[in-house]
Each structure stands twice: as C-alpha cells, then as structure tokens.
Amino acid sequence: MLIELRVNGELRSADVPPETTLLKMLREHLDLPGTKLGCDVGDCGTCTVIVDGVSVNSCLLLAGRAKGSEVTTIEGLANSNTLHPLQQKFEEYGALQCGFCGPGMLMSAKNLLDNNPTPTVYEVRDALAGNLCRCTGYTKIIEAVVDVSRDMKAESDA
Amino acid sequence: MVTRTTDIQTEEDQLIPSQESKAPSSQPLSVLGGNPVLYPLELPQSDTRTSTPAVGQRATRPDGRLHGLGQTQYIDDISFPHMLHAKILRSEYPHARIVNIDTSEAEKMPGVIATITGAEVPENTFGPTYQDQPVLAYPIARHLGDGVAAVAATTEQLATEALEKIKVEYEPLTPVFDPLEAIEDDSPKIHGESNIYTSKIIKKGDVEKALKDSPHVFHRQYKTQMVEHVPLEPQATIASWDGNGRVTIWSSLGRITLGREDISRTLAIPQSRIRLIGTIVGGNFGGKNEIRNEPIVALLSKKSRRPVKCVFTRDEEFTSSTIRHPFIMDYTTGVNDEGLILARKIRLVLDGGAYCSWTGTTIGKGSILAPGPYNIENVFVEAYAVYTNKTTTGAMRGFGAPQVCFAYESQMDEIAHKLGIDPLEIRLKNGFSENSLSPTSQTLQSVALKESLNQASDRFGWKEWKA
Amino acid sequence: MKSLDYIAPNSAEAAVALLSENGESACPLAGGTDLVVDLKHAPGDIELLVDVSRIDEFRGIEETEDGLRIGSMVTYGEIMSNPICLEKTPAIVDASHTIGAVQTRNLGTIGGNLVTCVPSADSAPALMVLDAEVTVAGLDGKRRMPIEDFFVGPRKTSLEPYELLVDIWIPKKNLGKPSDFYKFGLRKGQALALVNAAAAIDIKKGKIIDPRIALGAVAPTPIRALKAEALLANEKPTPELIVEASEIAVTECKPIDDFRASLKYRQQLVRTLTRRVLTRSVEIASNR
C-alpha cells in the first residue's frame, strides 16, 4: 500500500506491505536508520519517534496508520548547522555510551520538553520510563535533560 | 563548561613518574630481544589512590556526537546491494538427537536462496575455553536455544516463513535442568561421561579443625538466578564471501581477534582469508565476547554468493546468546564471640547451561573472591561447573563476583545479627587492609576497603540511623 | 511479521460490516500495543486488520447532559492531558498514568484496555468506582451496559461476534466524586499491576455515602468489593473503619499465586492498597 507522510518536514512516500511497521518503513524504505529496533515489542523505546506531536513506539505503529502524519525522527532533530540543545547536552554530559538507546531517548526527551519546558526531575524520569539504557544507569541522561530545561528557562527569563 | 582530559594535564610530571618512583614489579619490563622499554609503562606513583588528573573531571566521548545525531552505524544500519537476510531455526527439545533435517520444502520457496544445517559446517565446534559448542547443533541439540538449521532469503519475513517449512526429526533425550541433579552419577549426561566440566579448589590453613574450634558456626545455602545482558542492540552479523575465497564479516563482537580464531577454526580456512570488522557495539556487557552466528552467516554467504545479514530477535537474545551463571552456594563460617572470622568453608555449584563458554574465567574469579574481602586464616573453597540443558552461561560483568558477594555479605549480616554486632563493625573488624593476604596468598596493595566503608556509612548516615 | 491486509474504515457500521464479512480472519485493531506484539509472535489465522482507531464516533472526550463521554479510541495520553478528566475524573487520569510508558500511552486506547480484558487492566477499577457504562455497536445496532457486565473472564468480554466498543460513559452525578486509584507493580514504569485498587466516596453530614471499591488482578476479572462497601455505607469515616473495610476486601478476593507474587503477598497488597485509596478518597471528600 502506498503511504505518504511528512518526515522531518519532507514529503516522503513508499509502497510497503500492509503489515509494515512505521519503524520498518523508516529504516528500510525511507533510508532513515537512525531510529533503532531494540525489542520490537514496545518495551525498550529505541524506536521512539514523534508522530503528530506525540511520541510513540514506531515498532508498534503500522505504517498505514501513520499515513498523512507529520513524523519527526532523530535525523530531524538537528539542523544542518547546529545541534539540538539536547544533543549538545547529551554529548557534554556523556549521557550516551554505546549510543543505541540515544535516538529514542532523545526523541522522548524532546517530546517532554515540547510539552513541558520546565519539568521536575520526577517528570523527567517519568517521561523517560519507556526508554531503556543498559550502559549509563540514567543519571547523566536525566542531568542532561534537566540542564537543557534550565537553559531554556534562563533564555526565556532573559 | 566541558573540559577534555587532555586539557587538564597541565603538569608534565603527572604523566611521567618521578626519579624516585619504582616500578611495581621488581623485574624491569622488557620487550623481545632484551631492549629496554623506552616509554614509562608505570602509573605515576604519587597519590593515585586519592587523585589523578582525570578524577572529578568530565571527559567527552569522541563518538558521543554521532550517537546523539543517530549517525552511528550499527550493523543493522548497514546494508549491501543484493543482501540476503538469515534466520535460524531453534531446537524443539532441550535435549534431543537430530535424526534427520529436510530443508527441501524451504528451498523450493521463491526468494529462499540458501539453507544450511550443522552437518555442513566444516568444523562444527568452537569455544573460548573448551571447543564444545556447535555452530549449528548436530547430531545432538542440548538446549532450546541451539540452532539446528538456517535460511537465507531475500527478506527477513520470507526467511522466517521458510523456517516453518524445515522438517526436523528428533529423538528426544532425557534432559536435566537442575545442576544439583546433573552432578549426580545417574543423571543424564550432556557431553561425555560427567556433567562436571570444570572445578576449582582453594585451600588455606586447616578449615575443618578451625571450624571445630569455633565458638559459633553459621551455615546457609544461597542461590542466584540467571541474568541476561539485554544489550539494546541484538547480536548482528553481516558476511560477504567473495569470489577469491575471502570472507569479510561485520560483527558486533567485542573480541575480534579471538573471534577470528574461532571463525577460522569452524570454517576451516586460514585466518589470512578472514577479514573480521568489529563495528560499534550497541552494548556488550560480556554477552558479545565470543562468536555466535558469524560462521552460519559466512557459510550462507558462501552458498548464496551474496552478502547475508543476520540479526537476533529479542527472544533469541535471551535463549541463544549467553547469560550469567546461576550459583548455588553453601557457606559455613566459624567465628569467635567478637565476630572475628576463624574459618570459612564454601561449596559453589555453577549452572553452566549447555556449553562451557567463559566458565573458566567465571569459576576462577568466583572461587578466589568467594570468601569475601576479609582476613580469614582458614579457607576452603570447592567449585564445580555443571552442564545442564539450559541456555549457555558465559561472560557477564564481574565473572562470578556478584554472585559470591551476595552470599558472603548476606552471611556477614546474619552473623552480625546473631552475635549482636553492628553490621558495619563486623566488616571493619574482618576487612582487608594494606598488605592483607588474599585467599590465594596474594599480597594486596592499595586497599581502601575500610576507608570506603567509613566514608560511605558517614555519608548515608549509618550511625545516625542506628541511634 | 507475516503478510496481512489493513483497512481503516471511517464508521462503526463499516467496521462491523467488514468484520462480519471476513469472519474469523478479521480482527479489529485499536492502539495495537498488544495486538501488534501478538501478530509478531503468534499471528494465528488473522489475515485482515480492521483499524477502528480513526472512526470519529469512537473518538473524543466531551461532557454532555448525561455525563462524561470518553470515546473507546481515546488514548491514555489524551485522557492524561484532557482538562475535563483532570478536573472531574482524576482517578481515571491516575490509572492511565500507570499504564506502560509515555510512548505506549500515546498509542494504547482505553477501549483497547477494556476489550483485552485482562484481570490487571488498570483502567477498569477507576471506571468501576465511578459506575461507568459502556456502549457497544454490532450488526443489530447499539446497546449499553454497566461496565461490570462487560467483563466476563480473563480475556473474555460480553461482546458478541462483530461487536465493537464505542464509548464509555461516566454518569453526571459522579463527575468530581472524590476518588483515588493506586497500582502496585514490580517497577514504577512498564509493569503489570500485581494489584490495583480504586475507591470513590461521598461524605454527607459526616457519613459515607455511595462508597465504591474496585480491585484488579485479584480475580478472573476486575471486581467490586461489595461487602467492604456495605460496611462503609452510612458510617462515619474513621481510620479504624477503613482498616476494617480493607480486611473485608481481602476476603472478597481470590488472587493467584504465581511467579510475579505469592498469594499472601497479593493479599497484603489488597489490604494496603484498599486502605490507601479509601483514606485518600476520604481526605479529598473532607477537604471540600
């Protein structure tokens, strides 16, 4: 079936079998392998992307349902000149070790800050509960997200 | 502000030891031919225990930016023109003789390009310690995670469907799952005549006499469970066998030089014809320390003359990669009225699963660390690793150390409780200090056990909590 | 995943027709957080997925003269950010918050949770204590029933073949009724409930009116603790009474004894959770 959607601002389309998940469509049909397959059952969060303003597990969403949607993936987080503040802070804090959880983790963090620019630490933890990381123990990830929100607040206050 | 480690090493003498400092070993280090080593291998002798240039500073990872951009290429992110996808059929029984495998129906499916079974693997054994693991089980399958056949097809979906068309005739054998049952003489045997495949004994002093003379003797059995590493990236391999008889393998393996030996052995081709590319690994934790599906994928590539990729499903990651050894630990400890440990006798039974893998390292480290970081005059440790018809146990962070730690620290608490001694006090009383002798009579240096305990307990307010 | 067909009809009638035409081989798809996983592991005979998530009459949250209507295809994420739910049915918001994680809550639907009908379904107790009703649509039109009649057994609802859950109704009188929900799982995120509990009460002239207690994961379906409710009715809300009601609630449950938790542990959880949700509901009622 022909699926047309907007990915990272660009109109894309692909003819995929109906059982194709959005994750598979992004990785295999649209050449966007930044979004990862970790568990394929919606537990680990490595496949997190933002569809029409909300974060979802792309491994559980059939491409057919994403038809006509606005999708943001990790490839769309930075622009060609600058890193997204989250990417900047994740790098500075050493929040990613093997990096495999990174794309999903960052999309979840972005989804949080888009909806709640000044989260508490509890809210950050809650927002990232669907993203597993086996390397870092989460501390640096949470610190990085909190730091970004602090910067955002300082900027808006200024 | 982020500071790279290189920026903060301002004083040169922090990197080069001072004239007075001595190498830790008494013999000078040398390279082949007796030439002196030209660069200092020794760490700076000044205060490494309490300060180094790196401590307290943040170092940025060179690969951190690419990770954050989603530009890091893990194996599953790589693909080649005409690449095939492989899937592996797993055994239906935990213990069975494979009588016959018929792949003909699968091969007839459009899009299925090649199949392979264990009988076609040139040398069907590998392993870092004992070469007891088959690439694909044949003629005996020893656990449910054993692969029995594999398929390469044009899509992953087709390869999965083709597995259902493979007919395997099994003759089920009696399985054994409990390591204590497996240790018995009349248990079903998994390899050869005994299920005990590795053992270790550590003796120090006279433990029997010391236990007899101890005013208090404590005994308890402790057990730990299986643990899977769950790297977020499942094991993945791509192999491309070229027309010159050379094979290039992209693998998420953590130890590529060792892996190349095993691949060379199983494929029966010289190492010079194998190019093993260790890519960025999406989490290892010990679970990617030996080859897994590399020879299968290589052989499928050879047969199909196309690049082949194989990525484990999450289920396979649990059943067909290695896991942490479950331990059954019997601890008998003799103490005096003051809580001083006089003797400790330990028996460890390691559930090894179907194959040896990194059990050698695990049993060694587990045994040596089993008495705990305590000064004990009389120690006896016996450890046995036992085959069972379960998932293979191998390397995992700590190699046996976490298991025994759970046992000895649990027992320390029990002793403290029974004798009415503060749990911190009993550890400080028995704990290692500078120049203590380990159970294997190694003189220990840089021992900061008691300082660590005191600092930690001060910080979390142990005394205030007790008061 | 094996080959499947996918179709997204835009009305309940069209969806019901598609399901009845295709019989056993067709299956309605809601949020997909359970079904898509099942399809990857044990696809069975399913050949056609009828995506009902985009049907207008299955969507939306609105307050009418009858009460609050929550479309069956409303996601937990939508409930959690809905101002009406936040103000008038906080227990349903709390229950939604304990399900899965952000990403699964943005996919999973409240209707999907009810139709899957597992004993631990987190939305069920919160809806039960608010006397929710459900509307279902089938070949013979629509019918409405109390939510308790919807649950029949583990993974079994009273839906007839080709019937679909349309929406959930909370009666007007229960909007804003003091209520609370509490779930206990092995982890705070991404875990099934070992036990979940909800309570709702009103206090008039110092006495408890219309007490409701519902418990999940303690019987083949989510249940009401009717005897405990009877004890509370028309009594003065004291801590002692709440403790006594919690003890009675334990006797009304038949929890399983499995690898996640022992029978005894689950009973203790029933005791503690019932006490907590009742105490909190009384607090809210008293502070009004």
Side-chain angles (χ1 to χ4, degrees), chain B residues 15-32:
Chain B
L15 287 177
I16 301 162
S18 60
Q19 293 294 328
E20 296 83 49
S21 68
K22 293 266 192 319
S25 74
S26 55
Q27 292 294 312
L29 293 157
S30 62
V31 294
L32 277 176

Side-chain angles (χ1 to χ4, degrees), chain A residues 1 18-19 21 40-45 48 54-57 59-62 64-67 69 108 111 122 126-127 129-131, chain C residues 1-6 29-33 36-37 40-41 49 51-54 80 97 100-107 189-190:
Chain A
M1 61 196 286
E19 68 274 12
T21 57
D40 214 14
V41 294
D43 274 334
C44 75
T48 305
V54 296
S55 62
V56 299
N57 301 103
C59 74
L60 296 181
L61 183 70
L62 292 182
R65 184 175 288 179
K67 208 170 185 172
S69 295
S108 281
N111 182 63
Y122 168 79
D126 187 51
N131 292 80
Chain C
M1 219 186 320
K2 73 163 197 171
S3 295
L4 289 165
D5 270 333
Y6 168 91
L29 171 68
T33 53
V36 173
V37 174
K40 287 176 184 180
H41 288 94
L49 291 176
D51 185 350
V52 297
S53 69
R54 289 191 165 177
M80 285 167 63
H97 196 160
V102 179
Q103 300 97 311
T104 27
R105 293 198 287 265
N106 285 335
L107 287 170
Q190 307 255 56

Side-chain angles (χ1 to χ4, degrees), chain C residues 145-275:
Chain C
M145 68 183 97
I147 193 162
E148 278 135 277
D149 296 348
F150 189 71
F151 307 124
V152 175
R155 295 193 175 267
K156 189 162 169 41
T157 65
S158 57
L159 283 175
E160 298 291 331
Y162 322 126
E163 268 188 333
L164 292 165
L165 180 61
V166 180
D167 50 25
I168 298 135
W169 288 86
I170 314 292
K172 194 165 187 74
K173 69 176 171 68
N174 287 343
L175 295 182
K177 184 174 178 180
S179 60
D180 191 34
F181 172 87
Y182 201 100
K183 163 178 172 174
F184 192 90
L186 291 177
R187 297 177 303 277
K188 280 188 182 163
Q190 307 255 56
L192 293 178
L194 291 181
V195 172
N196 53 24
I201 57 156
D202 265 326
I203 296 179
K204 286 212 178 101
K205 293 178 190 159
K207 295 210 171 144
I208 298 174
I209 308 290
D210 291 337
R212 297 283 184 274
I213 301 167
L215 297 158
V218 296
T221 66
I223 57 158
R224 283 264 299 277
L226 295 171
K227 288 181 193 160
E229 288 177 8
L231 179 86
L232 294 169
N234 301 314
E235 295 289 335
K236 227 178 121 222
T238 62
E240 295 74 31
L241 184 72
I242 288 173
V243 167
E244 202 182 327
S246 309
E247 284 303 328
I248 293 173
V250 175
T251 65
E252 296 184 73
C253 302
K254 290 191 202 74
I256 52 167
D257 195 354
D258 74 351
F259 63 95
R260 285 200 186 90
S262 66
L263 172 77
K264 216 175 148 189
Y265 187 59
R266 284 175 201 263
Q267 284 173 332
Q268 181 59 38
L269 284 172
V270 171
R271 190 173 287 127
T272 307
L273 265 50
T274 308
R275 197 189 68 227

Side-chain angles (χ1 to χ4, degrees), chain B residues 160-212:
Chain B
T160 307
E161 284 170 22
L163 292 185
E164 289 169 25
K165 301 278 171 101
I166 297 175
K167 292 190 204 93
V168 186
E169 202 183 314
Y170 296 96
E171 179 195 319
L173 302 171
T174 314
V176 57
F177 303 116
D178 181 349
L180 295 181
E181 266 174 46
I183 225 164
E184 299 294 330
D185 287 341
D186 58 353
S187 64
K189 298 294 177 279
I190 298 167
H191 299 260
E193 287 168 5
S194 170
N195 287 329
I196 299 174
Y197 61 97
T198 302
S199 60
K200 189 147 199 111
I201 305 276
I202 295 171
K203 271 186 199 169
K204 183 183 170 192
D206 186 344
V207 87
E208 294 300 341
K209 183 176 178 300
L211 278 176
K212 207 180 285 169

Side-chain angles (χ1 to χ4, degrees), chain B residues 234-257:
Chain B
Q235 306 237 357
T237 303
I238 299 173
S240 178
W241 199 300
D242 71 18
N244 291 325
R246 290 188 172 85
V247 62
T248 307
I249 300 174
W250 290 260
S251 169
S252 52
L253 198 59
R255 304 181 70 146
I256 53 169
T257 44

